[in-house]
Amino acid sequence: MEPALATTLGASSVAALRPRAARASALSSVAPRGSGAGARCARGVRWEAGRSRGRLLRVSCDAAVAEKPTEEEDAAEEKFEYQAEVSRLMDLIVHSLYSHKEVFLRELVSNASDALDKLRFLGVTDSALLADGGELEIRIKSDPDAGTITVTDTGIGMTKDELKDCLGTIAQSGTSKFLKALKENKEVGSDNSLIGQFGVGFYSAFLVAEKVVVSTKSPKTDKQFVWEADADSSSYVIKEETDPEKLITRGTQITLFLRPDDKYEFADPTRIQGLVKNYSQFVSFPIYTWQEKSRTVEVEEDEEPKEGEEATEGEKEKKKKTITEKYWDWELANETKPIWMRSPKEIEKTEYNEFYKKTFNEFLDPLSYTHFTTEGEVEFRSVIYIPGMAPLSNEEIMNPKTKNIRLYVKRVFISDDFDGELFPRYLSFVKGVVDSNDLPLNVSREILQESRIVRIMRKRLVRKTFDMIEEISEKEDKEDYKKFWESFGKFIKLGCIEDTGNHKRLAPLLRFPTSKNEEDMISLDQYVESMPENQNAIYYIATDSLQSAKTAPFLEKLVQKDIEVLYLIEPIDEVAIQNLQTYKEKKFVDISKEDLELGDEDEDSKETKQEYTLLCDWVKQQLGDKVAKVQISKRLSSSPCVLVSGKFGWSANMERLMKAQTLGDTSSLEFMRGRRIFEINPDHPIVKDLNAACKNEPESTEAKRAVELLYETALISSGYTPESPAELGGKIYEMMSIALGGRWGRSDTEAEVTNTESDSSEGTVTEVIEPSEVRPESDPWRD
């Protein structure tokens, strides 16, 4: 025990006999850093340090376990591999990996394509492999009566060992092993067109099948083997094929025995053809499906002899008739070729248009298209289109899940269900295909995983789309961009709200009618170019229609000064412009808000303000809290007054829109509603009359009623909604009766009688007159 203790502790065995400071230093030199009572200082040695009575330090060490470990102890360590319960793993693959059952056919066709690719590649160096086996193709036959689907390819096939290795080992990809072998052999190189990578695609067959039978023949061997497995079993069977009728020349034949629930859906030949067209339309090998067809044929019929006549067989006249007969035959399912795999220089415009119509079921040619290949950090090919018209369904507008972008990996369709991963919401109208070998997909190849590669792809797709739209806008023929703007202008405005990073590319695409161009919309560039040198802002007004914008009182002084004003007549316009804030260092200014500076204030206007100060105070007193203040207007020339909103609140147009929101918060209306400023025109006769009334008869009832009516009229002309339209209507009728009384010759007696009848109507009793029994001869209801 002593040697072991000395070896482990050395001089510290006598540290307890030293003075306190020495003991402490000795202990710290031996004890492990951060150790306390019960810490381990070496293999198998346990420290126990503490204070006993007095000031003696107690240090004890269990030296019995401090001996060096033997070689036998080191050899006792064992390495274990993870184990998996096969039946449970298969259950997870079948029921948890895939979202849709229909993808089983995509996976099987992809495997068949890989088998054909391998054979074609190996056949370059060994032509004997291609000797007996026919064309490289895939055939799919469904039998509704038997409830089976058979997928046959003339590819490389598998030997018995390869069957056990590929189908008997879950998550082992034969394609991945093949690619790895090619990369190791530098003389052969590598083929990057192979699809498989995860090694679980084959087992998707059990999504719809209760039993799978694989019959395969490799050109490397003379024997054909059969692999069989049930969906709920953890084992499989391999046997040699002995039935001469079931022998194949080369390749693999997979037969799925469908579950009873899936038999009626997936055994339908039309359904199978639809799945092939959707998922595997652009596989590089021909895919044939077994389809029922019809044709017209002419057959001879015997003409019946007339009555009383008998004719022999030879004398019978033979007559032909046309009938329709049904028959079954193979039909090519993937006629459309992947146009994006070819060079753009080799493709005509008509080919692009035909591809667009077939792929997206459109009947109009696209407005524009672009075909590009991106190389370097991320490699992908794409063809994107701008449709010829907007979506017919309102549900597709502004919907990020429009299924307009079809994603392919090595020409195999993966998904068209994206939520903004490849395109932002405001570009959801763009249609196209994207094909890449670098996409990070989950094992089921259905979900595009968020990654740096996806972000780079999105950035480049958006940039190419902007280039395409700008190209349309710069054409000499403006009709194309006019069509684009009518269909997709709202999308571009939405982009100004949602994508602040692309404002510089979005703003030049905007188009608006103006006070000088009501019919033809102009761009912001055209507006800035036509601005006078002393104009420092871009002026706009937001209303609900072009007519209300043209007649708005806010425009009067600007039109007089020949200043152009943008008309924002769509609900989204005002929010889009507010998000832009500036364009080419010019601020956007709403002419319906306070503090409108037109640069024309002089000495006369200052004198006018002083002259009408008393009137402004008097009108404010009459209106009370309805307005924040009353002031002389700089924007009016013909209207008597206008109601403008505060600089930081909602405009009249925005207030109207927010009130119309179905799920709007009514509590926020009062908070966000801007203060209202009542501006008066000192040059208008009504205002001059009120100014005189204010000075000479400030308590006049008629003058006060005129101020109330003037305010409520300004509410309507400025775009606001009066709180009580019926009350406003009553005031207008009253003013009309005063203005029109007796103008066209109505006698004073009639007026007095009318007034008397109206005044005494409450105290009179209505006299009931019984109908007369005597009917005049002119009565139309007389018998």
Side-chain angles (χ1 to χ4, degrees), residues 140-144 148-150 266-270 272 290-291 328:
I140 306 172
K141 185 175 183 179
S142 58
D143 188 343
T148 61
I149 300 174
T150 304
F266 295 109
D268 181 15
T270 306
I272 292 296
W290 188 246
Q291 298 294 321
W328 289 84

Side-chain angles (χ1 to χ4, degrees), residues 125 179 220 311 328 339-340 484 521 619 667 690 705:
T125 54
L179 286 174
K220 302 175 186 177
W328 289 84
I339 199 171
W340 63 86
F484 169 81
M521 297 186 180
V619 172
S667 62
L690 288 175
R705 288 166 63 188

Side-chain angles (χ1 to χ4, degrees), residues 257-404:
F257 294 85
L258 300 177
R259 302 174 189 269
D261 295 341
D262 301 313
K263 183 182 299 184
Y264 298 102
E265 179 182 359
F266 295 109
D268 181 15
T270 306
R271 173 73 166 143
I272 292 296
Q273 188 177 43
L275 292 178
V276 172
K277 287 182 177 292
N278 186 45
Y279 287 103
S280 308
Q281 187 176 18
F282 302 109
V283 169
S284 55
F285 298 98
I287 303 174
Y288 296 93
T289 58
W290 188 246
Q291 298 294 321
E292 185 181 27
K293 300 182 179 182
S294 61
R295 60 189 172 193
T296 56
V297 295
E298 290 186 349
V299 296
E300 295 181 350
E301 63 175 350
D302 295 333
E303 184 178 348
E304 296 182 0
K306 297 179 180 179
E307 294 183 2
E309 295 182 3
E310 293 184 2
T312 61
E313 281 296 322
E315 294 175 349
K316 288 182 180 179
E317 295 183 5
K318 293 186 178 180
K319 189 176 181 180
K320 292 184 178 180
K321 68 176 181 179
T322 303
I323 62 171
T324 301
E325 68 174 9
K326 303 279 187 179
Y327 70 103
W328 289 84
D329 198 3
W330 293 105
E331 181 177 322
L332 184 63
N334 57 337
E335 293 177 312
T336 308
K337 301 303 177 185
I339 199 171
W340 63 86
M341 302 298 292
R342 297 162 55 189
S343 171
K345 298 178 181 179
E346 302 173 356
I347 308 172
E348 299 292 333
K349 182 179 179 180
T350 53
E351 293 183 74
Y352 283 113
N353 293 347
E354 283 299 315
F355 176 82
Y356 168 75
K357 291 177 181 178
K358 284 184 178 180
T359 305
F360 299 102
N361 296 321
E362 292 283 348
F363 60 92
L364 290 178
D365 288 339
L367 281 177
S368 182
Y369 62 86
T370 181
H371 180 186
F372 61 95
T373 301
T374 301
E375 296 179 348
E377 194 172 6
V378 178
E379 295 186 7
F380 68 93
R381 299 170 181 264
S382 180
V383 180
I384 54 178
Y385 297 87
I386 293 179
M389 63 180 293
L392 296 175
S393 172
N394 290 331
E395 295 179 358
E396 296 184 21
I397 298 177
M398 308 302 176
N399 181 11
K401 295 186 177 182
T402 53
K403 300 186 181 297
N404 286 339

